[in-house]
Amino acid sequence: MYFSDGHTDYLYGAVNRGYDFLTPVSGQSVSLGRLKAGGVKLQCFAAWMDIDLKRSYLSQFMSMYDAFCTLLEEHDELVPLTKDFDPSGDKIAAVLTIEGGEAVEGQEDILRSFRRMGVKAMSLTWNNRNELGNPALKKNRKGLTFLGKEIVREMGRLGMAVDVSHLNDAGIDDVLAEDAPVFASHSNARAVYFSPRSLCDEHIKQIARRGGTIGVNFYPKQLCEGSASVHDAAMHALHIAETGGASCLAIGSDFDGMGKYPKGLEDPSCLPNLARELAACGFDGDALAACCGGNLMRFMKGLC
C-alpha cells in the first residue's frame, strides 16, 4: 500500500523559510526522507499566494515554480506524474498546484501559461476575498464573481482541476454548476466538527458524483476542539467515505502549512499511523489502499 497527498506548502517554505529537501530545518515537515519513510508515491506541491508578501503574485508563483523544477532536477527520486506512472516502483510522482487564484492576476492567458507549465489544479481563494470569489472564513454569502466563473470555465476547457478548498459554500455551488474537474485538496467534514472551512455533506456528495476526491487535512483547528490526534483525522475520513463513498476519500495533509500538528501526524513518515487507525475503523484492504493512495492517484492521472 502507498500514500498520495493532495497538499503541502513546502514550496513556500523552500522559497521564504530556507527549507531543505534533504536536511529538514526547524518547523519543516516535508522532506525526501520522510516521504520515503511514509510510503508516499504521489505528492502535490502547492504554490501558495501570500497576500502580505511584497511581491506580485506572478513573481511569487515563478519563484515557487523554480523551486519545484529544482526539486525535480536535483532529486532523481522525484518525477513528474504521468498517466503511466507506476506507484509500485521506487519513484515519487510530483504534481504542481496553486493555492490562491490571485496567481492568475485576472488573466486567462496567464492561466493557460500555468497549464502549459504543468499546473494540474488551482484553488480560487485562500482565506481572503479576491477578484474571483469569497473564502469560507469570511462572512459573505456571495459566490464567484463574473471573472471567477470565467476562470472556472477556462479551467474546464483546459482540463485543469478546480480545487474548492478554502472557498465558501456559495462559491462551491457556482463551481459545481460549471463543467470542470473538481476536487477538494485539503478539506474536512463539517458534520464531524464544525468549521466553515470544512465541507457540508451535500458538497461531499456532489464532488463524489463528479468523480472528485476530498483530502482530509490535519489542521488541528479543523479537526476537533482542543488537542487533536490521528484518531480525529480518521473520524473525518470515515464520515467522508460514508457520505460520498470510499472512492472519493483521499489525504490532503497540509503539511508545512501549520505550526502544530495532531499527535501521530507530525510529518509524512507518520502516514501509516492514519492507515492503521482507518483499518481499526473497519476499512478493508482494497478500500484502505484506495483511500490512502489510489483515489487521488486516479484523479490526478486523469488530469495528465
Side-chain angles (χ1 to χ4, degrees), residues 14-290:
V15 171
N16 299 289
R17 295 173 179 163
Y19 285 7
D20 187 295
F21 201 53
L22 293 181
T23 307
V25 301
S26 177
Q28 178 182 338
S29 180
V30 171
S31 70
L32 179 59
R34 290 167 178 171
L35 290 173
K36 293 169 69 174
V40 176
K41 292 296 180 177
L42 169 65
Q43 181 63 64
C44 295
F45 291 88
W48 173 58
M49 298 297 107
D50 186 349
I51 66 169
D52 295 322
L53 209 59
K54 304 301 181 184
R55 297 180 63 181
S56 72
Y57 297 120
L58 184 55
S59 174
Q60 290 186 48
F61 171 80
M62 291 306 298
S63 289
M64 286 181 277
Y65 175 70
D66 175 69
F68 179 77
C69 292
T70 299
L71 282 179
L72 293 171
E73 291 165 359
E74 294 184 349
H75 305 286
D76 292 340
E77 295 91 340
L78 288 182
V79 295
L81 178 67
T82 59
K83 284 186 180 295
D84 60 355
F85 175 78
D86 183 0
S88 68
D90 59 358
K91 302 295 185 180
I92 300 171
V95 172
L96 180 61
T97 68
I98 295 174
E99 184 173 29
E102 292 90 350
V104 301
E105 298 190 347
Q107 302 295 317
E108 290 186 11
D109 56 349
I110 294 178
L111 177 70
R112 289 189 288 271
S113 295
F114 288 164
R115 188 67 171 107
R116 294 185 185 106
M117 295 165 77
V119 175
K120 296 291 191 291
M122 181 177 77
S123 67
L124 302 182
T125 68
W126 185 60
N127 287 338
N128 301 85
R129 188 184 191 281
N130 60 26
E131 59 188 342
L132 304 184
N134 294 280
L137 293 185
K138 300 292 184 182
K139 293 182 179 180
N140 191 322
R141 295 185 179 181
K142 294 182 179 179
L144 301 185
T145 64
F146 178 83
L147 176 61
K149 293 175 183 178
E150 289 292 306
I151 290 294
V152 168
R153 292 183 191 117
E154 184 65 3
M155 291 176 72
R157 190 187 72 79
L158 295 170
M160 187 173 173
V162 183
D163 180 0
V164 299
S165 292
H166 285 284
L167 196 59
N168 70 353
D169 286 358
I172 295 174
D173 287 337
D174 288 340
V175 169
L176 290 167
E178 302 293 342
D179 184 17
V182 58
F183 79 126
S185 66
H186 59 304
S187 293
N188 290 330
R190 199 177 295 173
V192 176
Y193 178 71
F194 181 84
S195 168
R197 254 284 284 123
S198 295
L199 296 175
C200 67
D201 283 357
E202 183 56 32
H203 285 156
I204 292 172
K205 293 174 183 176
Q206 290 189 52
I207 292 169
R209 290 190 201 109
R210 295 275 289 269
T213 56
I214 297 146
V216 172
N217 86 65
F218 303 158
Y219 185 49
K221 291 184 179 180
Q222 290 164 17
L223 290 175
C224 65
E225 187 72 33
S227 298
S229 70
V230 62
H231 175 76
D232 298 300
M235 292 299 97
H236 284 267
L238 181 62
H239 183 83
I240 290 168
E242 289 176 341
T243 303
S247 63
C248 80
L249 177 59
I251 294 171
S253 68
D254 206 9
F255 283 137
D256 288 324
M258 64 192 88
K260 184 178 181 180
Y261 294 96
K263 185 177 181 181
L265 288 173
E266 291 83 6
D267 64 60
S269 71
C270 300
L271 288 174
N273 293 339
L274 180 58
R276 285 188 284 271
E277 193 71 28
L278 290 173
C281 292
F283 282 76
D284 63 25
D286 289 342
L288 183 62

